[in-house]
Amino acid sequence: MVQFNLPKNSKVLKGIYFKDRTGSKNIKKVHVYRWDPEKKGNPTIDTFEVDLTNCGNKVLDILNKIKNEIDPSLTYRRSCAHGVCGSCAMNIDGVNTLSCMKSHKDINGEINIYPLPHLKVIKDLVADLSTLYRQYESIQPWLKTKDNKSKKIEINQSKENRKKLDGLYECIMCACCSTSCPSYWWNGEKYLGPAVLLQAYRWISDSRDEERKERLKAVSEKLKLYGCHTIMNCTNSCPKGLNPAKAIGSLKKMLATN
Ligand code: SF4
Ligand code: SF4
Ligand code: FES
């Protein structure tokens, strides 16, 4: 089991300054949040002077360059590098986004990189998403049918019904929305948050699913859905351009009219 040793209210201190050794004139200063559970100290902000010559355009390219050429201990998640897996989500210059999609050319001046906010930190830029994954599992994100026969054959869907999933199926569960939602910050254990609610709505909207009523009832309990106060941070932060606030609104409307 993961152990978290970060003391409560610990201050973020100034960390190591990694000066450029290449002599390049094309330098970007990058400040990165660091915390190593094994060192048992306070978190720090390390500063790296990164030579952008021969560096790709994305913030993830900068992190890879730091890891490969300056400090191999820097820890962050990434996999696809194409905005598909959702694993490289972090807070870049105050905005939750995917580091593999965010161009550093769009950031004037120095770059600040933190883990996704309001989560426990496992190490450096890796935040603990286990509560969110538990909540995701709780909505049973798979097609549910009551008839045994339909399990064995392809279940067709009309073009119109398929279209209802547009804007929902594209969600990659990166958690940028949930970790930018103030309601989720304060009630994260009870309120499901925008990412999981958008997913719940995706299955409720699927014409092939036969447990719509049960699913609606399950999300309507206490704070699971009604923790949302329509602040809209979630929609503003989605790197895939989705609208979780609208999905939550549709769920509330369904419950009010069913
Ligand atoms: S609209 Fe709801 S889910 Fe989105 S940020 Fe606001 S409170 Fe959170
Ligand atoms: S709705 Fe957008 S921000 Fe939220 S988890 Fe899905 S892809 Fe990420
Ligand atoms: S590495 Fe997969 S979304 Fe960024």
Side-chain angles (χ1 to χ4, degrees), residues 11 24 43 62 74 77 137 148 160 172-173 177 187 200 207 249 252:
K11 283 188 183 154
S24 166
I62 287 187
L74 179 64
R77 289 193 187 103
E137 187 186 6
N148 275 341
E160 292 69 31
I172 55 173
M173 285 300 289
C177 56
N187 288 305
S207 61
K252 287 179 178 171

Side-chain angles (χ1 to χ4, degrees), residues 96 174-181 184 193-196 233-235 237-239 244:
N96 295 348
C174 65
C176 285
C177 56
S178 291
T179 54
S180 70
C181 166
Y184 194 69
V196 171
N233 278 9
C234 54
T235 296
S237 74
C238 177

